Amino acid sequence: MIEQVDIKQEQIIEVALKRFSHFGVSKTTMNEIADDLSFSKALLYYYFPDKTTLVLKVIEHIFYDFINKQNSILAGQTSLKLALSSLIDLKIEFGKKYFMLHMNDGQTDHYLTDARFRSLLDKTKEEELNILFKLFSRFKSLGLIKDIDCKDTAQIFIDVLTGLWVFEVHINLKTLIPTEEQFLSIKTKYEKLITIFYDGIIAR
Amino acid sequence: MIEQVDIKQEQIIEVALKRFSHFGVSKTTMNEIADDLSFSKALLYYYFPDKTTLVLKVIEHIFYDFINKQNSILAGQTSLKLALSSLIDLKIEFGKKYFMLHMNDGQTDHYLTDARFRSLLDKTKEEELNILFKLFSRFKSLGLIKDIDCKDTAQIFIDVLTGLWVFEVHINLKTLIPTEEQFLSIKTKYEKLITIFYDGIIAR
């Protein structure tokens, strides 16, 4: 029975994730999700008593996926430059895929003000910081990077990437959804930035 | 007579600049500006036919001031690190002083959508880019920095600083007006960033 519940929940999350990613949260109704699954509304609400709870579950799903992928990208990396560049690819991939959810930028969508979302976001940011801190610490202990404060450096790295993203997407581009070329131009800026950043922390 | 006109215009701009910087554009009326100056409304409108024209003149004034200060800070600088760090101090100073005008971040205020404002902003950004480009080029020709693309590097430098500002102020802090401590924390991040940036471009 537990298993049955889990399977149904998974199905709902999967379908909701598809709709949210494509149309955004506010343009998706619980009715549409129930229809996609051929569920009754009652059945859908049995699993998720309200839309916010479902949204949070979907966001949690994306965050776990993001953190897991970061961890597996960095596990056993022997090149810091490659590690940073893979992180950037991952960030762009997630930023594009879940652009309509505006998770990173505190924009419009109502659910973003929910306290549970804030706490989930804070936990994810902490996790991300920790992953990067461990990466820098490992290369520092190998004598490959300078005698820097690894926590500070990790924080700055994350902040400038996020800042650049927010700036490009919401101020420079100001489109509803950026085009492929626009995402590519952000990626190019990211790459130039990490080249300088890498050269700035590597030991000589 | 021309001189007289210029003096009156200057007075208006000075008073408007004070009000706009403190209360923001939307919370300042033409009546208040006229009262501050003991001008009749008719006289004020004789010099500035509408509020948008006055706002643009004030913004232009700030931009010229910003560009002139940048130029004089960088003229004859023999240390790149000092030059970058002075630029950052200037950016923080202007960012704080004119915070209420939201010039840099494309936020709320109505005048920001005016085409003349866009063109003024674009010109200022181009000027700023050019100043930084010349700075990097000078140090490159002296063999003090690596064989980098100076235009690209100048652009990235400006973009990450602006991005970090926008991110910190509008997403991390989310206060109506940041406190002294919050501006100080942005400054600290800026300083850490330019240390890495500087180390990333300097020749060894």
Side-chain angles (χ1 to χ4, degrees), chain B residues 40-156:
Chain B
S40 67
K41 254 186 109 169
L43 187 63
L44 177 58
Y45 278 104
Y46 171 78
Y47 289 104
F48 294 99
D50 53 59
K51 190 174 158 187
T52 304
T53 309
L54 175 56
V55 171
L56 285 165
K57 206 73 192 171
V58 169
I59 304 272
E60 192 180 79
H61 181 95
I62 297 170
F63 281 170
Y64 282 167
D65 190 24
F66 182 55
I67 292 299
N68 285 339
K69 290 221 165 86
Q70 284 205 339
N71 268 320
S72 67
I73 276 177
L74 300 182
Q77 266 295 0
T78 52
S79 153
L80 178 61
K81 189 141 196 194
L82 226 62
L84 294 180
S85 135
S86 308
L87 271 186
I88 276 178
D89 290 344
L90 189 70
K91 267 180 171 295
I92 298 271
E93 185 197 319
F94 270 73
K96 267 168 74 173
K97 200 163 166 190
Y98 302 117
F99 183 79
M100 288 303 288
L101 278 92
H102 299 291
M103 289 178 298
N104 216 359
D105 51 33
Q107 295 295 302
T108 47
D109 276 332
H110 176 254
Y111 74 90
L112 297 173
T113 58
D114 190 288
R116 288 170 295 173
F117 171 75
R118 295 295 326 164
S119 121
L120 196 55
L121 183 63
D122 287 346
K123 254 171 57 191
T124 309
K125 283 186 169 174
E126 211 182 294
E127 197 69 45
E128 196 185 2
L129 182 66
N130 199 33
I131 290 173
L132 207 55
F133 166 70
K134 282 193 287 190
L135 179 77
F136 288 147
S137 301
R138 181 154 58 89
F139 283 93
K140 185 176 160 180
S141 72
L142 293 169
L144 295 172
I145 60 180
K146 289 181 192 166
D147 187 24
I148 52 170
D149 180 320
C150 290
K151 197 117 199 170
D152 267 11
T153 309
Q155 187 66 65
I156 284 290

Side-chain angles (χ1 to χ4, degrees), chain B residues 7 10 19 31 43 54 96 148 173:
Chain B
I7 289 170
E10 284 299 314
R19 283 226 167 240
N31 269 342
L43 187 63
L54 175 56
K96 267 168 74 173
I148 52 170
L173 305 179

Side-chain angles (χ1 to χ4, degrees), chain A residues 8-173:
Chain A
K8 285 230 181 332
Q9 272 200 352
E10 285 298 314
Q11 287 179 322
I12 296 168
I13 291 170
E14 203 178 297
V15 161
L17 191 139
K18 263 190 204 151
R19 283 223 168 242
F20 292 156
S21 317
H22 191 83
F23 299 103
V25 169
S26 57
K27 289 233 179 278
T28 298
T29 67
M30 290 294 266
N31 269 343
E32 287 166 334
I33 294 169
D35 284 351
D36 285 348
L37 291 155
S38 308
F39 280 11
S40 68
K41 252 186 109 169
L43 186 63
L44 178 58
Y45 279 103
Y46 170 78
Y47 290 104
F48 294 98
D50 53 59
K51 191 174 158 189
T52 304
T53 309
L54 176 55
V55 171
L56 285 165
K57 206 74 193 169
V58 169
I59 304 273
E60 191 180 79
H61 181 95
I62 295 170
F63 281 170
Y64 282 167
D65 190 23
F66 182 55
I67 293 298
N68 286 337
K69 289 219 166 88
Q70 284 206 339
N71 268 320
S72 67
I73 276 176
L74 301 182
Q77 265 296 0
T78 52
S79 154
L80 178 61
K81 189 141 198 195
L82 225 63
L84 294 180
S85 135
S86 307
L87 271 186
I88 275 180
D89 289 344
L90 189 70
K91 267 181 171 296
I92 298 273
E93 184 197 319
F94 270 72
K96 269 168 73 172
K97 200 164 165 189
Y98 302 117
F99 182 79
M100 288 302 288
L101 279 92
H102 299 290
M103 289 179 298
N104 218 359
D105 51 33
Q107 296 294 302
T108 47
D109 275 332
H110 176 255
Y111 73 91
L112 296 173
T113 58
D114 190 289
R116 289 171 294 173
F117 172 74
R118 294 296 326 166
S119 121
L120 196 54
L121 182 63
D122 287 345
K123 255 171 55 191
T124 309
K125 282 186 170 173
E126 210 182 296
E127 196 71 45
E128 197 186 1
L129 182 66
N130 199 33
I131 290 173
L132 208 55
F133 167 70
K134 282 193 286 190
L135 179 77
F136 288 146
S137 302
R138 181 152 60 86
F139 282 93
K140 185 176 160 180
S141 71
L142 292 170
L144 295 173
I145 60 180
K146 289 180 190 167
D147 188 25
I148 52 169
D149 180 320
C150 290
K151 198 115 199 176
D152 267 10
T153 309
Q155 188 66 63
I156 284 290
F157 186 78
I158 290 171
D159 288 349
V160 296
L161 290 186
T162 312
L164 199 56
W165 179 273
V166 170
F167 175 62
E168 287 293 321
V169 165
H170 296 287
I171 293 171
N172 264 355
L173 305 180

Side-chain angles (χ1 to χ4, degrees), chain B residues 88 92 161 165 186-194:
Chain B
I88 276 178
I92 298 271
L161 290 186
W165 179 274
I186 297 178
K187 193 178 147 98
T188 307
K189 286 199 180 183
Y190 268 8
E191 279 163 359
K192 286 174 186 160
L193 178 63
I194 63 153

Side-chain angles (χ1 to χ4, degrees), chain B residues 21-36:
Chain B
S21 316
H22 190 82
F23 300 103
V25 169
S26 58
K27 290 233 179 278
T28 297
T29 67
M30 290 293 266
N31 269 342
E32 288 165 333
I33 293 170
D35 284 351
D36 286 348

Side-chain angles (χ1 to χ4, degrees), chain A residues 105-106 146 152-153 156 159-160 162-164 166-168 171 174 189 192-193 196-197 199-201 204, chain B residues 105-106 146 152-153 156 159-160 162-164 166-168 171 174 189 192-193 196-197 199-201 204:
Chain A
D105 51 33
K146 289 180 190 167
D152 267 10
T153 309
I156 284 290
D159 288 349
V160 296
T162 312
L164 199 56
V166 170
F167 175 62
E168 287 293 321
I171 293 171
K174 276 209 168 178
K189 287 200 176 178
K192 285 174 187 160
L193 177 63
I196 296 171
F197 200 97
D199 285 350
I201 61 171
R204 317 254 156 187
Chain B
D105 51 33
K146 289 181 192 166
D152 267 11
T153 309
I156 284 290
D159 287 348
V160 295
T162 312
L164 199 56
V166 169
F167 174 61
E168 287 294 320
I171 293 171
K174 276 206 168 180
K189 286 199 180 183
K192 286 174 186 160
L193 178 63
I196 296 172
F197 200 96
D199 285 350
I201 62 171
R204 317 254 157 188

